[in-house]
Amino acid sequence: MVNSAERSADNAWSDAALHAAPYPVLVADPVGTVRRANEAFGLLVPDAVEGSALCEVLPDWLLLAHDRLSAAPAPHAPPPRGEVAGRSFEAHATRLPEGEVVWWLTDDTDVRLAERRLLQERNRTAFLARASNELLSSLNLDRCMEVAGRLAAAHLADAAVVIAPPRGRALSVVSADGTGAHSRQLTGVAPESVPGLAEALRGFPPVPSRWIDPAAAPEWLVPEDFGPVGAMVVTPLPGHGVPAGALVLLRRAHHAAFSESEESFARLFAARAGAAMSAARLYAEQAQITETLMRELLPPRVGQVGGVEFAARYRAAKDGERVGGDFYDIHPAAAPQDESLVVLGDVCGKGLDAAVLTGKIRNTLHALLPLSGDHVRMLRLLNGALLSSHHTRFATLVMASARRRADRVELRVTCAGHPAPLVVRADGRVAEVETHGNLVGVLPEIDAVTAPLILAPGESLVLFTDGITESKGGPLGDELFGDARLRRALAHCAGMPAEAVAEHVQMLATEWVGVNKHDDMAVVTVTAPRGSSRRAPGGTPTEGHGA
Amino acid sequence: MTTSSAPPAPLTAGDQVPFYTSRLWEAVRAGDEYAAGTGVRDALTDGVPPETLLLDVIGGVQRRVGAEWAANRLSVAQEHAATAINERVIALLAQHPDVPPVPPARGRITVACVDGEWHALPARLLAEVLRLRGWRVDYLGAQVPAPHLIAHLHLTNPDLVALSSSLVTRLPAAHATITACQATGVPVLVGGAAFGSDGRHARQLGADAWAPDARQAAERLRRPLTRRKADHQAIDDLPHLADQEYTLAARGSRQLVREVLAGLESRFPTLLDYDDVQRDHTAQDVAHLVEFLTAALYTDDTELFSGFLVWTADVLRARAVPPESLLPALDLLERALRDFPRAVGLITRSRQALSRALRASGPPAARQLDPGQPA
C-alpha cells in the first residue's frame, strides 16, 4: 500500500513523463473513458480530454484494438495500425495494475511510405527482369511485339498497342488487353494522325513520350470493345540505332491517369522492348539475306527423272551449317530419251568459303551442259575456268549421265580425282566403276576415262565423297568407316529404291561418327527402278525428300 | 492413274483397314513401290478416310516392319527400303486429287525429329495428319540439328513444336532440344516410343505436352498448350545429374566399350578368332549396352536399361545367339563403373530383372516387342 503523498508525487512524475513523451499518449481507464491524454495526442484528437468516452474520441481501429486488448491479449500479434488525422500510426499498449491502459502511438507514416515504395520498386525490378527474359528469348519480331504488348497490358496499363515501323504500306500492329494479344496488318492508316507517332516510328527527330487526347485518337489505335478511353500515352521504342516502333498505353475512363512515376517506368520497359524488337528485326533481315545468298548453294532436291531414280543425302561438317565443300547437282533430261546429268564433288576446304566455290563449279557445269555428251571435254573446260579464277582451291568430282532404255538404265560415268563410285548389282555384288582421271583446278592439262555402265532393275550406282569413307568413330571411337564397311553395307542394298540406299549409307556413316567431328558428307544414288516393266518411263515422277 | 487392281468385293468399313494393310505390307515386303501406290489409291477410291489410311494402314505396316526386323525376318537395309516406299506412298497421298488440301486455319506447327533420330516416319505421319486437320505444318524431317530447328523457330514463330523421338538413347539430345525450343518461348509437344509408353520421360524432361500417337497428338492440340516460365532451368528437371555420373560415363563411353570388349576377349578367347564383321557386331552390341546405360543414368530410370536388356535377350534369341551372353558383359561394365554408385545400383537391379526374364522365358515365343528399341 502506498500513501497519498507518495501517490501524488508519483502522479506528478507520471504527468511530467506523459507530457514529455515524444509520442502521442493516451491513458484509458477501465470504465471506457479517457483518464489522461498528452499534448501530442491532443493535437491529433482535440476532443480527447479527461472523462470523454473512448468510443466518442478514438478512431475505429484503435477502439477495436482497445476492446480486443481487454478480451484476449495475443502475445506476438503485430501492433495495430491505422490512421489518425491523416497520418499513419502504430499503437502500443501498456496495461497498468489498476486496469488502466496506456496507448502509445508511434508515427510510421514515412516508414510505411518507404515500405510501399520499396515494394513497388521491387515489383518493378522483378517485372523488368521477367520482361527482359521473355523479350530476349525470341528473335522473332512478331513474337517480340506480342510479348511486349501482353506485358505492357498486364503491368502498365489497361491495354497496350505495339506498332512496328512500317514496311511498305502496311503497318504491323499488336493490340493487347487483359485477355490476350492479337496482331493485325493495317493498310491505309496514317501514323501522322497521332501526335508523336510518326516520329517514333521513323526514329527521328527524338520525341518524349506524349499524352494524346483520347478523343482525337484514331479508331484503329483503340482495341476493340475497350470502351471509353481515359488516358493515352505514346512512347517511342528505342532500338539499336534503328527505329524499333512505338508503344501506346491506354487507361479506361474510370481509372486514374498515368502518374509521372508510372510514365517514367513505362519508358524503362519501352527501352527493353525496343532493344528486343530491333534485335529481332536485324536478325530477320540478316536471315533473309543469308537465305537469298544461300539458295543457290543449297543441295538441290532430287527425285525420279525419265524413269531413273535419283536420291541424295547431305550433311555439312558443322551442325549449324547447311552447306560446305561437298556438293551435288542434278540436271534432268529435257526429253525422256535424253540423258540426265548428275554430278557429285568435293572442294578442298570446309564451310562457307568452300561452299562459294561449289556454287561456281555448279554454275560452270550448268553452262557446259550442252557438252555433256563428252564428260572429258566438260572437265577440261571446267579445269580451265577454275585455273583462271582467283580461287586457289581445287576440286575432285564424279559425273554420270543416265538414261532409261527399256527397263535398264544406261550410264556414262567419269571420275576426276574422286573416290570411284560403286555399283550395287542385283545379286548383291558391289564393284568399283572403272573410271579415273585428274582432279580439277591444279594441272594445266587434265585427262580422264569415261566408263560405260548398265544398271538392271534394282541395281544402283552410288556416288559418295570421302566424308563417308573417312569418317572416324565406331564403337571404339577412332576407327575409319572405310571402303570395306561401305561395300559390306551396300551388298545388302540390292533391289532397294534409290532413296533407301542413300538413306542407309548416310545413316551408317552418321552413326559411325557419333559425336565426333566429321567432314562434309554427301551421297548420291542412281537406281534402275524395280517392277518398272509395268510403268512407262517417266511416269509419275515423285519428288524426293533428300537433303 | 487407273486403278488396275480394284478390290474383288466391296468391303465393310471394319474389313477395309486389315485388307489394305496386308495389301500394302505385301507390296512393301516385295519392294514393289508401284503396287504399294496402287493399293493406297484403291483404298482412297474405296472410301477409306485419308487419316485412317495414314495412321492405321501405312502406320500399321510401319509398325509391322519394326516387329519383323526385331524378329530377324527383315534386315536393316530392307527396313530402309520398306520405309522409303512408305514415304513415297505418303507423298503420293498428299498429292492425290481425292485428298483436297485443307486450308490452314488453325495455326502453325513445326514437326521435327530429335537430332540423331532416323525413324522419321512417325513424324511424317503426324505432319500429314495435322495438315489434314487444318494446321499449317513445317515438316523438317529426320536428323534435325538443334541449331537448325532453333533458327527455324526464330524465323517462323510457330504456335508449337512437335518433336518425335523413338530411341531412348536420344533422350539427352531430346532434352536439350526441348529446353532450347522452350527458351525461345515456343511450347513443345513430344511423342514417340523414346518418351515411354506412359509418357514419363516427356514429363521428366519438361515437355509441355505428350501424346502416345499421332491421333492423340492431333486431339491434344485442340486445346492450347501453355508455355513454361521463362526462368526455367534445364537442371531443375533432373537434379540427380548433379552427381556427374552421366557426364563422366558419357565422356568415357568409348573407353568403357574398350574395357568391356577386352574383358570379354580374355574371358572368351574364341572372340579373338572372329572375322571383321563379327567383331564389328560384337563391338556394336557393347556400344549399345553402354549407350542405354548412359541414357538410363541421364534419366535415372532403371527400367530403361533393364527393359533394353530383356528386349535384347529376345532379339539375340531370335538370331540364335544365347541371351545369357549378356551377363558377362554386365559384370564387366559394373566393374569398370565401380566408382559410380548410381550406375552400379542401376546395373545390379537390371541384371536381376534380366535373370528373372531369362528364367521365365521358355522357347523364343512371339513376345510383345517394344518399338522403342533401336532398329
Side-chain angles (χ1 to χ4, degrees), chain B residues 202-268:
Chain B
R203 283 187 295 279
Q204 181 185 35
L205 302 186
D208 302 291
W210 167 79
D213 57 42
R215 198 170 266 126
Q216 291 187 59
E219 287 299 315
R220 171 64 188 83
L221 295 181
R222 287 172 183 275
R223 289 175 286 133
L225 293 190
T226 48
R227 282 169 210 161
R228 293 171 68 109
K229 295 237 180 301
D231 55 0
H232 173 77
Q233 302 278 321
I235 186 70
D236 300 343
D237 299 327
L238 305 163
H240 54 265
L241 290 185
D243 67 11
Q244 296 274 304
E245 287 198 20
Y246 165 77
T247 317
L248 296 170
R251 197 185 293 154
S253 64
R254 295 267 158 81
Q255 186 56 35
L256 272 178
V257 174
R258 278 164 198 277
E259 275 181 49
V260 172
L261 268 181
L264 285 174
E265 280 169 0
S266 70
R267 275 199 204 184
F268 305 99

Side-chain angles (χ1 to χ4, degrees), chain A residues 67-84:
Chain A
D67 292 345
R68 285 203 180 142
L69 192 70
S70 43
H76 296 297
R81 275 182 145 177
E83 286 196 3
V84 187

Side-chain angles (χ1 to χ4, degrees), chain B residues 74 230 241 285 303:
Chain B
L74 221 55
L241 290 185
D285 287 346
E303 211 179 296

Side-chain angles (χ1 to χ4, degrees), chain B residues 72-313:
Chain B
N72 203 24
R73 290 193 286 265
L74 221 55
S75 72
V76 174
Q78 284 172 313
E79 189 201 359
H80 273 142
T83 308
I85 292 177
N86 269 342
E87 286 265 1
R88 287 286 192 81
V89 168
I90 295 170
L92 204 101
L93 196 62
Q95 292 158 7
H96 197 273
D98 284 0
V99 185
V102 183
R106 294 183 97 150
R108 192 166 185 176
I109 293 184
T110 301
V111 179
C113 294
V114 171
D115 195 7
E117 175 65 61
W118 290 92
H119 299 81
L121 210 83
R124 179 85 199 272
L125 290 171
L126 174 67
E128 296 301 331
V129 167
L130 292 177
R131 261 187 211 123
L132 286 174
R133 293 196 177 201
W135 291 89
R136 180 174 173 197
V137 179
D138 298 300
Y139 171 68
L140 303 189
Q143 275 290 55
V144 185
H148 283 196
L149 176 58
I150 298 308
H152 181 83
L153 300 187
H154 284 314
L155 287 179
T156 58
N157 189 25
D159 296 286
L160 80 131
V161 177
L163 208 55
S164 165
S165 184
S166 66
L167 302 175
V168 288
T169 51
R170 303 309 302 161
L171 282 175
H175 189 209
T177 311
I178 291 168
T179 39
C181 292
Q182 288 170 336
T184 69
V186 182
V188 181
L189 172 132
V190 298
F195 298 99
S197 52
D198 54 356
R200 64 183 186 279
H201 294 307
R203 283 187 295 279
Q204 181 185 35
L205 302 186
D208 302 291
W210 167 79
D213 57 42
R215 198 170 266 126
Q216 291 187 59
E219 287 299 315
R220 171 64 188 83
L221 295 181
R222 287 172 183 275
R223 289 175 286 133
L225 293 190
T226 48
R227 282 169 210 161
R228 293 171 68 109
K229 295 237 180 301
D231 55 0
H232 173 77
Q233 302 278 321
I235 186 70
D236 300 343
D237 299 327
L238 305 163
H240 54 265
L241 290 185
D243 67 11
Q244 296 274 304
E245 287 198 20
Y246 165 77
T247 317
L248 296 170
R251 197 185 293 154
S253 64
R254 295 267 158 81
Q255 186 56 35
L256 272 178
V257 174
R258 278 164 198 277
E259 275 181 49
V260 172
L261 268 181
L264 285 174
E265 280 169 0
S266 70
R267 275 199 204 184
F268 305 99
T270 47
L271 287 178
L272 294 168
D273 302 332
Y274 273 15
D275 65 17
D276 283 355
V277 178
Q278 287 170 312
R279 288 173 71 92
D280 265 13
H281 273 158
T282 313
Q284 234 137 36
D285 287 346
V286 173
H288 268 143
L289 208 59
V290 171
E291 263 184 83
F292 275 83
L293 178 65
T294 46
L297 279 174
Y298 192 82
T299 51
D300 200 29
D301 181 4
T302 303
E303 211 179 296
L304 190 161
F305 191 54
S306 64
F308 167 72
L309 291 177
V310 172
W311 177 86
T312 307

